[in-house]
Amino acid sequence: SGLGTLKTAIGSVTSGYGALKTAIGALGVGFAVKTFISMTEAALDLAGNLVDTADKIGLSTSSLQELQFAAEQSGVGVESFNDAMTIFTRKLAEAAAGTGTAKERLVAFGLDAKALAADPAQALTIVAEKIKGITNQGERLDVIRDLFDRGGAAMVQMLQAGGPALDALRQKARDLGIVLDEDLLRRSEEVGDQFEAASKVIDLQFK
């Protein structure tokens, strides 16, 4: 999964110093340093992308990682999920302001749009449980379309499983230890900008 890739990449950097020492002896300083730089850049890029996506959608990085895992386990691609969740948070904000196609759907569900907009991750769980309760498949798809626009088609399987199933998958992600700490990810993003500049200087020394 995408989260597994990120964890592996960051783990590679953590253990990379030992590998760097071995590579220096076997392959030479220049090659070893460039390899380590490449590994580190990959990990920092993945961390930075995760932070940027979380901020764009309006989620914590922990919630985003958990929900991305839940999406993948439900057969939804990470990019499709990210797009759908971006639309969903926009729809919630519109409904909270008294506009948009989601407004009437949320009223019909007896939900407070402003409360949902304040916590999009929890809102997804609540809405998923409401969608599960709709017995008519055509009506269910109409509701999903009103809440997710074009992103709704990819989300059907994930949403119709209901809220508790979604929460269980989020908990599974935490139990597996694949949800990286928010502070770590945000520090990685800051370090990434500095590392990029430093790596260019280092790279010039071994050309």
Side-chain angles (χ1 to χ4, degrees), residues 73-93:
Q73 294 295 298
S74 304
V76 182
V78 168
E79 290 304 318
S80 295
F81 168 78
N82 291 346
D83 290 343
M85 199 65 188
T86 299
I87 293 170
F88 181 58
T89 55
R90 174 174 57 80
K91 291 279 192 177
L92 292 178

PDB file of all heavy atoms in Angstrom, residues 73-93:
ATOM      1  N   GLN A  73      -8.116  -0.768   1.562  1.00  0.00           N
ATOM      2  CA  GLN A  73      -8.697  -2.035   1.990  1.00  0.00           C
ATOM      3  C   GLN A  73     -10.103  -2.242   1.417  1.00  0.00           C
ATOM      4  O   GLN A  73     -10.576  -3.370   1.325  1.00  0.00           O
ATOM      5  CB  GLN A  73      -8.758  -2.094   3.519  1.00  0.00           C
ATOM      6  CG  GLN A  73      -7.406  -2.133   4.205  1.00  0.00           C
ATOM      7  CD  GLN A  73      -6.640  -3.407   3.884  1.00  0.00           C
ATOM      8  OE1 GLN A  73      -7.077  -4.505   4.198  1.00  0.00           O
ATOM      9  NE2 GLN A  73      -5.486  -3.259   3.239  1.00  0.00           N
ATOM     10  N   SER A  74     -10.732  -1.140   1.024  1.00  0.00           N
ATOM     11  CA  SER A  74     -12.082  -1.198   0.445  1.00  0.00           C
ATOM     12  C   SER A  74     -12.057  -1.192  -1.080  1.00  0.00           C
ATOM     13  O   SER A  74     -13.109  -1.122  -1.722  1.00  0.00           O
ATOM     14  CB  SER A  74     -12.908  -0.007   0.942  1.00  0.00           C
ATOM     15  OG  SER A  74     -12.956   0.033   2.354  1.00  0.00           O
ATOM     16  N   GLY A  75     -10.855  -1.238  -1.656  1.00  0.00           N
ATOM     17  CA  GLY A  75     -10.729  -1.261  -3.103  1.00  0.00           C
ATOM     18  C   GLY A  75     -10.731   0.100  -3.763  1.00  0.00           C
ATOM     19  O   GLY A  75     -10.942   0.218  -4.967  1.00  0.00           O
ATOM     20  N   VAL A  76     -10.494   1.151  -2.971  1.00  0.00           N
ATOM     21  CA  VAL A  76     -10.456   2.518  -3.498  1.00  0.00           C
ATOM     22  C   VAL A  76      -9.001   2.976  -3.565  1.00  0.00           C
ATOM     23  O   VAL A  76      -8.284   2.907  -2.556  1.00  0.00           O
ATOM     24  CB  VAL A  76     -11.255   3.488  -2.597  1.00  0.00           C
ATOM     25  CG1 VAL A  76     -11.235   4.905  -3.184  1.00  0.00           C
ATOM     26  CG2 VAL A  76     -12.684   2.998  -2.414  1.00  0.00           C
ATOM     27  N   GLY A  77      -8.551   3.439  -4.718  1.00  0.00           N
ATOM     28  CA  GLY A  77      -7.193   3.934  -4.865  1.00  0.00           C
ATOM     29  C   GLY A  77      -6.970   5.185  -4.034  1.00  0.00           C
ATOM     30  O   GLY A  77      -7.903   5.958  -3.794  1.00  0.00           O
ATOM     31  N   VAL A  78      -5.732   5.384  -3.599  1.00  0.00           N
ATOM     32  CA  VAL A  78      -5.418   6.527  -2.745  1.00  0.00           C
ATOM     33  C   VAL A  78      -5.724   7.848  -3.443  1.00  0.00           C
ATOM     34  O   VAL A  78      -6.305   8.761  -2.838  1.00  0.00           O
ATOM     35  CB  VAL A  78      -3.936   6.486  -2.292  1.00  0.00           C
ATOM     36  CG1 VAL A  78      -3.516   7.810  -1.656  1.00  0.00           C
ATOM     37  CG2 VAL A  78      -3.719   5.349  -1.300  1.00  0.00           C
ATOM     38  N   GLU A  79      -5.339   7.974  -4.710  1.00  0.00           N
ATOM     39  CA  GLU A  79      -5.599   9.227  -5.424  1.00  0.00           C
ATOM     40  C   GLU A  79      -7.090   9.476  -5.581  1.00  0.00           C
ATOM     41  O   GLU A  79      -7.561  10.612  -5.447  1.00  0.00           O
ATOM     42  CB  GLU A  79      -4.906   9.215  -6.786  1.00  0.00           C
ATOM     43  CG  GLU A  79      -3.387   9.301  -6.711  1.00  0.00           C
ATOM     44  CD  GLU A  79      -2.909  10.526  -5.948  1.00  0.00           C
ATOM     45  OE1 GLU A  79      -3.487  11.612  -6.145  1.00  0.00           O
ATOM     46  OE2 GLU A  79      -1.975  10.394  -5.151  1.00  0.00           O
ATOM     47  N   SER A  80      -7.844   8.410  -5.873  1.00  0.00           N
ATOM     48  CA  SER A  80      -9.299   8.544  -5.991  1.00  0.00           C
ATOM     49  C   SER A  80      -9.906   8.970  -4.663  1.00  0.00           C
ATOM     50  O   SER A  80     -10.802   9.820  -4.606  1.00  0.00           O
ATOM     51  CB  SER A  80      -9.926   7.224  -6.445  1.00  0.00           C
ATOM     52  OG  SER A  80      -9.510   6.888  -7.747  1.00  0.00           O
ATOM     53  N   PHE A  81      -9.406   8.381  -3.580  1.00  0.00           N
ATOM     54  CA  PHE A  81      -9.895   8.763  -2.255  1.00  0.00           C
ATOM     55  C   PHE A  81      -9.567  10.226  -1.961  1.00  0.00           C
ATOM     56  O   PHE A  81     -10.421  10.977  -1.467  1.00  0.00           O
ATOM     57  CB  PHE A  81      -9.293   7.874  -1.172  1.00  0.00           C
ATOM     58  CG  PHE A  81      -9.553   8.413   0.215  1.00  0.00           C
ATOM     59  CD1 PHE A  81     -10.781   8.250   0.812  1.00  0.00           C
ATOM     60  CD2 PHE A  81      -8.566   9.130   0.890  1.00  0.00           C
ATOM     61  CE1 PHE A  81     -11.037   8.780   2.074  1.00  0.00           C
ATOM     62  CE2 PHE A  81      -8.811   9.659   2.148  1.00  0.00           C
ATOM     63  CZ  PHE A  81     -10.047   9.478   2.730  1.00  0.00           C
ATOM     64  N   ASN A  82      -8.329  10.632  -2.225  1.00  0.00           N
ATOM     65  CA  ASN A  82      -7.931  12.013  -1.955  1.00  0.00           C
ATOM     66  C   ASN A  82      -8.821  13.003  -2.703  1.00  0.00           C
ATOM     67  O   ASN A  82      -9.255  14.014  -2.144  1.00  0.00           O
ATOM     68  CB  ASN A  82      -6.472  12.236  -2.360  1.00  0.00           C
ATOM     69  CG  ASN A  82      -5.489  11.505  -1.465  1.00  0.00           C
ATOM     70  OD1 ASN A  82      -5.830  11.033  -0.390  1.00  0.00           O
ATOM     71  ND2 ASN A  82      -4.250  11.402  -1.918  1.00  0.00           N
ATOM     72  N   ASP A  83      -9.093  12.703  -3.974  1.00  0.00           N
ATOM     73  CA  ASP A  83      -9.951  13.582  -4.778  1.00  0.00           C
ATOM     74  C   ASP A  83     -11.364  13.641  -4.204  1.00  0.00           C
ATOM     75  O   ASP A  83     -11.956  14.724  -4.077  1.00  0.00           O
ATOM     76  CB  ASP A  83     -10.004  13.102  -6.230  1.00  0.00           C
ATOM     77  CG  ASP A  83      -8.690  13.298  -6.965  1.00  0.00           C
ATOM     78  OD1 ASP A  83      -7.849  14.086  -6.487  1.00  0.00           O
ATOM     79  OD2 ASP A  83      -8.501  12.661  -8.023  1.00  0.00           O
ATOM     80  N   ALA A  84     -11.904  12.475  -3.854  1.00  0.00           N
ATOM     81  CA  ALA A  84     -13.264  12.415  -3.326  1.00  0.00           C
ATOM     82  C   ALA A  84     -13.364  13.136  -1.985  1.00  0.00           C
ATOM     83  O   ALA A  84     -14.341  13.856  -1.715  1.00  0.00           O
ATOM     84  CB  ALA A  84     -13.704  10.960  -3.182  1.00  0.00           C
ATOM     85  N   MET A  85     -12.347  12.976  -1.143  1.00  0.00           N
ATOM     86  CA  MET A  85     -12.377  13.606   0.177  1.00  0.00           C
ATOM     87  C   MET A  85     -12.231  15.118   0.071  1.00  0.00           C
ATOM     88  O   MET A  85     -12.823  15.859   0.865  1.00  0.00           O
ATOM     89  CB  MET A  85     -11.261  13.023   1.043  1.00  0.00           C
ATOM     90  CG  MET A  85     -11.458  13.244   2.528  1.00  0.00           C
ATOM     91  SD  MET A  85     -12.910  12.384   3.159  1.00  0.00           S
ATOM     92  CE  MET A  85     -12.963  13.047   4.835  1.00  0.00           C
ATOM     93  N   THR A  86     -11.473  15.574  -0.916  1.00  0.00           N
ATOM     94  CA  THR A  86     -11.349  17.015  -1.148  1.00  0.00           C
ATOM     95  C   THR A  86     -12.706  17.605  -1.517  1.00  0.00           C
ATOM     96  O   THR A  86     -13.099  18.675  -1.026  1.00  0.00           O
ATOM     97  CB  THR A  86     -10.335  17.293  -2.274  1.00  0.00           C
ATOM     98  OG1 THR A  86      -9.050  16.784  -1.892  1.00  0.00           O
ATOM     99  CG2 THR A  86     -10.212  18.788  -2.551  1.00  0.00           C
ATOM    100  N   ILE A  87     -13.423  16.905  -2.381  1.00  0.00           N
ATOM    101  CA  ILE A  87     -14.764  17.351  -2.776  1.00  0.00           C
ATOM    102  C   ILE A  87     -15.710  17.325  -1.580  1.00  0.00           C
ATOM    103  O   ILE A  87     -16.494  18.257  -1.357  1.00  0.00           O
ATOM    104  CB  ILE A  87     -15.306  16.468  -3.912  1.00  0.00           C
ATOM    105  CG1 ILE A  87     -14.482  16.671  -5.184  1.00  0.00           C
ATOM    106  CG2 ILE A  87     -16.782  16.771  -4.185  1.00  0.00           C
ATOM    107  CD1 ILE A  87     -14.779  15.669  -6.281  1.00  0.00           C
ATOM    108  N   PHE A  88     -15.630  16.252  -0.793  1.00  0.00           N
ATOM    109  CA  PHE A  88     -16.515  16.094   0.366  1.00  0.00           C
ATOM    110  C   PHE A  88     -16.336  17.238   1.362  1.00  0.00           C
ATOM    111  O   PHE A  88     -17.321  17.800   1.854  1.00  0.00           O
ATOM    112  CB  PHE A  88     -16.223  14.754   1.033  1.00  0.00           C
ATOM    113  CG  PHE A  88     -17.072  14.441   2.233  1.00  0.00           C
ATOM    114  CD1 PHE A  88     -18.455  14.404   2.149  1.00  0.00           C
ATOM    115  CD2 PHE A  88     -16.478  14.154   3.457  1.00  0.00           C
ATOM    116  CE1 PHE A  88     -19.232  14.096   3.249  1.00  0.00           C
ATOM    117  CE2 PHE A  88     -17.243  13.842   4.573  1.00  0.00           C
ATOM    118  CZ  PHE A  88     -18.631  13.815   4.465  1.00  0.00           C
ATOM    119  N   THR A  89     -15.096  17.601   1.670  1.00  0.00           N
ATOM    120  CA  THR A  89     -14.867  18.687   2.623  1.00  0.00           C
ATOM    121  C   THR A  89     -15.373  20.021   2.066  1.00  0.00           C
ATOM    122  O   THR A  89     -15.883  20.853   2.821  1.00  0.00           O
ATOM    123  CB  THR A  89     -13.381  18.804   3.001  1.00  0.00           C
ATOM    124  OG1 THR A  89     -12.586  18.939   1.828  1.00  0.00           O
ATOM    125  CG2 THR A  89     -12.916  17.584   3.758  1.00  0.00           C
ATOM    126  N   ARG A  90     -15.230  20.203   0.752  1.00  0.00           N
ATOM    127  CA  ARG A  90     -15.782  21.424   0.143  1.00  0.00           C
ATOM    128  C   ARG A  90     -17.295  21.437   0.247  1.00  0.00           C
ATOM    129  O   ARG A  90     -17.903  22.477   0.556  1.00  0.00           O
ATOM    130  CB  ARG A  90     -15.337  21.520  -1.321  1.00  0.00           C
ATOM    131  CG  ARG A  90     -15.978  22.680  -2.072  1.00  0.00           C
ATOM    132  CD  ARG A  90     -15.416  22.849  -3.472  1.00  0.00           C
ATOM    133  NE  ARG A  90     -15.545  21.666  -4.282  1.00  0.00           N
ATOM    134  CZ  ARG A  90     -16.683  21.302  -4.904  1.00  0.00           C
ATOM    135  NH1 ARG A  90     -17.784  22.032  -4.760  1.00  0.00           N
ATOM    136  NH2 ARG A  90     -16.713  20.218  -5.650  1.00  0.00           N
ATOM    137  N   LYS A  91     -17.921  20.288   0.004  1.00  0.00           N
ATOM    138  CA  LYS A  91     -19.375  20.183   0.095  1.00  0.00           C
ATOM    139  C   LYS A  91     -19.864  20.462   1.515  1.00  0.00           C
ATOM    140  O   LYS A  91     -20.896  21.115   1.723  1.00  0.00           O
ATOM    141  CB  LYS A  91     -19.822  18.785  -0.326  1.00  0.00           C
ATOM    142  CG  LYS A  91     -19.636  18.476  -1.800  1.00  0.00           C
ATOM    143  CD  LYS A  91     -20.768  19.050  -2.612  1.00  0.00           C
ATOM    144  CE  LYS A  91     -20.769  18.522  -4.031  1.00  0.00           C
ATOM    145  NZ  LYS A  91     -21.930  19.032  -4.799  1.00  0.00           N
ATOM    146  N   LEU A  92     -19.125  19.963   2.497  1.00  0.00           N
ATOM    147  CA  LEU A  92     -19.496  20.224   3.888  1.00  0.00           C
ATOM    148  C   LEU A  92     -19.416  21.713   4.210  1.00  0.00           C
ATOM    149  O   LEU A  92     -20.281  22.257   4.907  1.00  0.00           O
ATOM    150  CB  LEU A  92     -18.583  19.439   4.828  1.00  0.00           C
ATOM    151  CG  LEU A  92     -18.711  17.915   4.830  1.00  0.00           C
ATOM    152  CD1 LEU A  92     -17.698  17.308   5.794  1.00  0.00           C
ATOM    153  CD2 LEU A  92     -20.124  17.476   5.200  1.00  0.00           C
ATOM    154  N   ALA A  93     -18.353  22.359   3.721  1.00  0.00           N
ATOM    155  CA  ALA A  93     -18.192  23.793   3.964  1.00  0.00           C
ATOM    156  C   ALA A  93     -19.331  24.584   3.313  1.00  0.00           C
ATOM    157  O   ALA A  93     -19.856  25.538   3.909  1.00  0.00           O
ATOM    158  CB  ALA A  93     -16.847  24.264   3.432  1.00  0.00           C
TER     159      ALA A  93
END
